[in-house]
């Protein structure tokens, strides 16, 4: 797979993937897991535990199943067909949410909740099953050392369009009566996702050299053992990512606390979501650029500290205006701990090992992704919001400490085992 082919198609691939990401972001703005969907669900339940799970579902769905598909992905020479098939399950569920919203007047609250969470889980798992193939494809079509700015451009396009989606959703929620306002938001999201899928299909991917892939299932699982035994740096990186879920835990509670305790209105919800997306738009580009030049570890450390600052500020907030700064910090922290963490995962190992690293780096974090919002919801229900924010702040600071002390940037660290072959017997 000559580098000239990758560089020749780089501009085309950047263009179509940025457009794809823009439409994905537009859909995500209309159906935000941080603001719109929690507000929709809060109409059917008062459980902070359930509402706190909502933004964790896409993160958990993204992480948990990756190791299950990484085995097959590691033996592929061509990722794109698998990406296109599996991402249907990431994008189609938003149409299901629109149908559920329209059925609100005919169904009881328990049934609405059951259907909503089933669809959210479907969407999350669709993301996770497609993730190893998509990430492997991106790492294949983008030259080394430019992944940060590539991811940053994708994130910037997504978040810029998310601002438009979020602001439009705020107007729809205010101007249109229930339940048609939520139904229209989710319908707009599903149309944007369909356009996103079309532009993703325009990606140009060269075929892998067959010698660079893992040949058997046994070889793949043996490679996992080698990684976990030999790569101490990667183990500490995974531990830091687990701890970072505490720093991300209070995001849905910021909105609910601002609405129920600070008197934030529907229009402000759309505006504050726009602040979040706007911050992520700029942060994605800036942090990607910084990570490419000075290392992603530094970006993760800074992002962890900023998440802690946002949580402390939310707990000390005296009025709604404080939450614009809270969401500003949350946007920077999310860009670092989600996008840049994903980029850094691709820098461990070599191309042969990459699907294994991707699968391990996400699936091992999944339990923490699930437990953190459960803990946050329990604290809110049994103590108060401010205690949940304090726990998140402590989690952010500990994450930064583990990264600083235990992790070296893999781009600059020679991994002696990375070029070792995984010795396995041929399958009988």
């Amino acid at each position: 797979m000559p580098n000239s082919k990758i560089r020749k198609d780089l501009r085309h691939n950047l263009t179509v993937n940025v457009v794809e990401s823009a439409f994905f972001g537009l859909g995500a703005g209309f159906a935000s897991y941080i603001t719109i969907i929690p507000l929709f669900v809060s109409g059917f339940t008062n459980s902070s535990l359930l509402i706190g799970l909502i933004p964790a579902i896409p993160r958990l769905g993204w992480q948990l199943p990756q190791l299950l598909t990484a085995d097959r992905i590691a033996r592929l020479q061509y990722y794109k067909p698998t990406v296109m098939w599996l991402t249907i399950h990431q994008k189609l569920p938003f149409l299901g949410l629109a149908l559920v919203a329209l059925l609100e007047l005919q169904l009881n609250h328990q049934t609405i909740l059951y259907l909503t969470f089933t669809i959210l889980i479907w969407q999350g798992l669709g993301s996770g099953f497609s993730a190893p193939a998509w990430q492997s494809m991106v790492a294949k079509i983008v030259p080394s050392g430019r992944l940060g700015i590539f991811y940053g451009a994708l994130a910037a396009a997504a978040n810029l369009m998310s601002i438009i989606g979020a602001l439009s959703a705020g107007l729809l929620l205010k101007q249109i009566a229930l339940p048609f306002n939520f139904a229209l938001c989710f319908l707009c999201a599903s149309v944007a996702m369909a356009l996103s899928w079309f532009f993703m299909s325009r990606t140009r991917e060269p075929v892998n050299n067959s010698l660079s892939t893992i040949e058997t299932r046994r070889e793949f699982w043996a490679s996992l053992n080698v990684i976990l035994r030999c790569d101490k740096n990667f183990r500490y990186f995974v531990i830091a990512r687990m701890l970072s879920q505490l720093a991300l835990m209070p995001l849905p509670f910021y909105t609910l606390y601002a609405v129920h305790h600070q008197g934030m209105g529907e229009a402000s919800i759309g505006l504050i979501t726009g602040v979040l997306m706007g911050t992520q738009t700029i942060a994605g580009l800036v942090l990607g650029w910084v990570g490419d030049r000075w290392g992603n570890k530094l970006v993760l450390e800074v992002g962890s500290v900023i998440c802690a600052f946002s949580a402390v500020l939310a707990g000390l907030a005296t009025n709604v205006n404080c939450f614009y700064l809270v969401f500003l910090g949350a946007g920077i922290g999310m860009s670092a701990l989600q996008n840049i963490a994903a980029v850094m995962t691709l820098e461990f190992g070599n191309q042969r090992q990459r699907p294994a690293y991707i699968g391990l780096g996400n699936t091992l974090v999944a339990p923490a992704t699930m437990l953190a919002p459960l803990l946050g919801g329990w604290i809110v229900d049994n103590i108060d919001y401010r205690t949940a924010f304090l726990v998140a702040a402590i989690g952010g600071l500990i994450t930064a400490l583990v990264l600083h002390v235990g992790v070296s940037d893999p781009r600059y660290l020679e991994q002696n085992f990375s070029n070792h072959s995984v010795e396995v017997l041929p399958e009988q």
Side-chain angles (χ1 to χ4, degrees), residues 13 197 209 217 219 282 318 355:
N13 284 332
W197 187 90
N209 184 333
R217 177 172 298 177
E219 185 179 353
I282 299 171
T318 57

Side-chain angles (χ1 to χ4, degrees), residues 110-134:
Q110 185 175 0
T111 302
I112 290 289
L113 287 172
Y114 175 80
L115 290 173
T116 299
F117 276 89
T118 298
I119 291 171
L120 295 180
I121 292 169
W122 173 25
Q123 195 276 333
L125 291 177
S127 299
F129 281 120
S130 63
W134 180 77

Side-chain angles (χ1 to χ4, degrees), residues 242-264:
M242 290 178 178
L243 291 168
S244 73
Q245 303 310 305
L246 279 177
L248 296 171
M249 171 263 290
L251 292 175
F253 302 124
Y254 290 156
T255 303
L256 296 178
Y257 182 69
V259 170
H260 298 308
H261 292 268
Q262 303 292 343
M264 180 181 290

Side-chain angles (χ1 to χ4, degrees), residues 40-47 50 100 103-119:
F40 174 69
V41 171
S42 69
F44 310 105
T45 179
N46 293 321
S47 172
L50 281 178
V100 169
L103 292 173
E104 177 183 336
L105 299 177
Q106 284 73 42
L107 301 176
N108 60 48
H109 287 187
Q110 185 175 0
T111 302
I112 290 289
L113 287 172
Y114 175 80
L115 290 173
T116 299
F117 276 89
T118 298
I119 291 171

